[in-house]
Amino acid sequence: MPRADKAQALLRGLPGVDALVGRAAAHPDLRSMPRQRVTESAREVLAAERRRVLEGASSVAEASTLAERVVDRLTRSGVFSLDRVINATGVVLHTNLGRALLSPLAQERLRAAAAGYTNLEMDIGQKERGSRYAHVEGLLQRLTGAPASLVVNNCASAVLLALESLARGKEVIVSRGELIEIGGEFRIPDIMRRSGAVLREVGTTNRTHLKDYAQAIGPETGLILKVHTSNYRVVGFTAAVSSRELSQLGRERGIPVMEDLGSGCLVDLRRYGFPYEPTVPEVVASGVDIVSFSGDKLLGGPQAGIVVGGAELVERLARNPLNRALRIDKFTVAALEATLYAYEAGEALETIPTLRMLTEPPAAIRRRARGLLRRLSAEVQSRLGAVLVDVTSQVGGGALPTVELPTVALALGSAERRPEDLDDRLRAARPPVLGRLLDDRLLLDFRTVLPADVPALAAILASL
Ligand SMILES: *Cc1c(COP(=O)(O)O)cnc(C)c1O
């Protein structure tokens, strides 16, 4: 038989799409898989098999084998696109992995807000319309010392809203040492242009003095902006003006002063060996008129941009129509209230995962890593070349960039298991496991591996 005829004969042996879909959809793992996805996957599997035949294969796969391929494809990709991963990078605030994890209380409050109606914008007793921001106003006041607050989508929008509300068409004085890029296209000069404010740079990259600000103030000045260099450090021959000096200057000249803290922390982490970072209450106490910070960086809550400051200025931000476009939803309110409550109740360090992970002693991290090793047989351990090593991890999320936290990692890689291949295999696992490649080893840093991840991680490693 000529080759083309033979191929045609083989192709006639393939099941039709409907038959293949019927077989695959009967598999228990695909019970909740929408039919359309099964059909799409069946078409792809059939097309691949047809290509194989036309390229000269001498037989076609059985219908049951093809159905298995469909099931395989679909279970590997899962039903949902946004899904859990095991973070073994050691980076506690990993923006690409969703930044802060929420406390059990915040999870509980989120669930309650999702399942039923809430008093989001209703003052029930007064029979009046209420404000969604009221649910966190008192907490923010008590925790930061600032009389007023507003919460928007994220800190980038807080900065945009503040510039637009306070300095549109006017000059904003910023030190050249603080013209930062945060990542994801957020650059202070660009955001300034978008807000309609005019950037007035003062000082130099490494040194800016009070007189630089003072000399730049004129009739066009709308705002003095201090930006916390949260994701980098200028070291060596440097000078920057303190929040206190700037706010004094602003008061003398009648110009509002704003500080964008980025990763605003409510507690002083120096007790746990971290370098000094100004906390939100300290900056408020220094006299700065308006302070912005993120909800999901060191605070350890949901994505949000929190603005605290004087009542009159915050009111101008709240009344800006742009605020309506940057408005937070009930889930942010619920999770943020629970997160702030933990600080007020004095249980933040125990219950907020970000703070717990950042302050966890290496001995405790080592215990978790040992717990995993115990779940692996000696044979698996030696095949993977698994050993515990002392390394360091980063905070991440553009916070505390110079900090290297001592941590414990499981190092993998051997002559028969190249670390790059192990990395590929772990990324393809369900749930995917993300480590980091360093010096010819794959490191799984246990600072960010949750206790609940350990059994799943052990099963994945054993199956490699
Ligand atoms: C991270 C950061 C921002 C942006 O915060 P998001 O909440 O991610 O929008 C703004 N300013 C500074 C100084 C930051 O560090």
Side-chain angles (χ1 to χ4, degrees):
M1 195 164 17
R3 198 177 134 180
D5 292 348
K6 182 157 177 257
Q8 287 309 321
L10 280 174
L11 290 178
R12 275 193 293 277
L14 285 174
V17 176
D18 288 343
L20 186 54
V21 168
R23 251 178 197 273
H27 195 280
D29 287 354
L30 295 193
R31 214 168 300 138
S32 55
M33 190 65 70
R35 194 72 170 195
Q36 198 176 342
R37 294 196 201 180
V38 185
T39 309
E40 219 164 82
S41 182
R43 285 213 175 93
E44 284 163 13
V45 164
L46 284 172
E49 191 61 10
R50 256 182 235 116
R51 257 194 318 278
R52 224 173 53 81
V53 169
L54 293 175
E55 281 162 8
S58 56
S59 63
V60 291
E62 297 277 333
S64 59
T65 309
L66 293 169
E68 261 165 43
R69 284 183 201 165
V70 174
V71 174
D72 250 18
R73 265 173 189 251
L74 290 168
T75 46
R76 235 180 312 123
S77 61
V79 178
F80 296 104
S81 170
L82 180 68
D83 217 342
R84 194 168 77 88
V85 308
I86 295 179
N87 176 8
T89 65
V91 181
V92 175
L93 291 171
H94 198 304
T95 299
N96 305 141
L97 301 183
R99 282 204 195 153
L101 307 185
L102 295 178
S103 68
L105 180 65
Q107 296 170 35
E108 195 186 302
R109 303 304 302 158
L110 265 179
R111 181 178 287 275
Y117 293 103
T118 58
N119 60 340
L120 180 67
E121 285 190 343
M122 174 99 68
D123 190 330
I124 310 269
Q126 299 296 315
K127 301 188 183 174
E128 272 176 6
R129 168 139 190 224
S131 152
R132 65 183 61 215
Y133 310 106
H135 304 289
V136 291
E137 237 162 19
L139 281 160
L140 283 168
Q141 188 176 15
R142 294 189 292 278
L143 291 168
T144 70
S149 62
L150 179 69
V151 186
V152 289
N153 181 62
N154 58 7
C155 192
S157 38
V159 175
L160 175 67
L161 179 65
L163 291 174
E164 221 269 349
S165 312
L166 307 177
R168 191 188 164 83
K170 294 198 178 146
E171 283 184 3
V172 179
I173 305 176
V174 188
S175 160
R176 289 199 170 86
E178 300 173 357
L179 293 174
I180 62 166
E181 175 181 306
I182 287 146
E185 303 295 308
F186 182 84
R187 292 174 154 193
I188 291 290
D190 298 339
I191 212 95
M192 195 79 75
R193 238 187 326 274
R194 283 296 170 124
S195 73
V198 180
L199 174 62
R200 177 73 192 268
E201 300 174 32
V202 296
T204 62
T205 305
N206 57 330
R207 291 174 72 84
T208 302
H209 306 283
L210 188 62
K211 66 173 192 290
D212 296 322
Y213 287 95
Q215 283 163 5
I217 294 176
E220 298 302 312
T221 310
L223 184 72
I224 296 173
L225 175 66
K226 185 173 169 64
V227 185
H228 184 51
T229 57
S230 53
N231 56 1
Y232 71 106
R233 287 287 178 272
V234 182
V235 296
F237 185 53
T238 65
V241 182
S242 72
S243 310
R244 187 170 297 281
E245 288 171 294
L246 268 189
S247 45
Q248 209 159 359
L249 175 69
R251 251 193 320 280
E252 279 164 23
R253 309 287 290 268
I255 307 288
V257 177
M258 168 168 174
E259 181 157 345
D260 175 28
L261 262 182
S263 188
C265 200
L266 292 179
V267 293
D268 189 348
L269 290 173
R270 273 179 295 185
R271 263 192 295 157
Y272 302 92
F274 288 84
Y276 173 70
E277 275 281 300
T279 65
V280 180
E282 277 169 358
V283 175
V284 169
S286 76
V288 168
D289 300 292
I290 207 155
V291 183
S292 57
F293 57 101
S294 277
D296 57 353
K297 289 188 184 171
L298 288 177
L299 187 75
Q303 178 186 306
I306 303 168
V307 180
V308 297
E312 192 253 338
L313 290 178
V314 171
E315 184 62 25
R316 274 166 70 187
L317 268 64
R319 275 206 309 265
N320 187 332
L322 189 58
N323 178 36
R324 178 63 178 77
L326 306 172
R327 183 169 90 171
I328 48 167
D329 67 0
K330 59 185 173 183
F331 302 119
T332 304
V333 175
L336 186 60
E337 185 186 11
T339 304
L340 294 171
Y341 170 84
Y343 284 91
E344 194 180 33
E347 55 193 42
L349 280 149
E350 292 80 54
T351 63
I352 294 180
T354 300
L355 294 180
R356 217 183 45 220
M357 284 191 245
L358 285 175
T359 58
E360 186 170 37
I365 301 173
R366 183 182 306 279
R367 271 197 297 280
R368 198 155 58 249
R370 284 221 182 99
L372 178 115
L373 265 188
R374 270 198 301 276
R375 288 169 175 266
L376 300 180
S377 68
E379 190 261 321
V380 168
Q381 288 185 31
S382 90
R383 178 152 42 89
L384 297 173
V387 281
L388 294 187
V389 292
D390 294 309
V391 286
T392 57
S393 32
Q394 290 180 329
V395 175
L400 302 164
T402 55
V403 172
E404 306 244 323
L405 300 167
T407 188
V408 178
L410 183 67
L412 303 176
S414 61
E416 43 175 331
R417 288 281 189 280
R418 287 179 48 233
E420 291 79 9
D421 296 338
L422 287 173
D423 186 40
D424 289 345
R425 297 283 299 276
L426 287 177
R427 281 166 185 268
R430 291 200 63 75
V433 180
L434 300 177
R436 63 190 142 102
L437 289 162
L438 183 77
D439 301 336
D440 238 19
R441 289 186 299 192
L442 177 65
L443 298 184
L444 302 182
D445 186 334
F446 272 68
R447 178 178 298 281
T448 49
V449 173
L450 309 175
D453 288 336
V454 170
L457 181 55
I460 290 167
L461 290 174
S463 73
L464 285 181

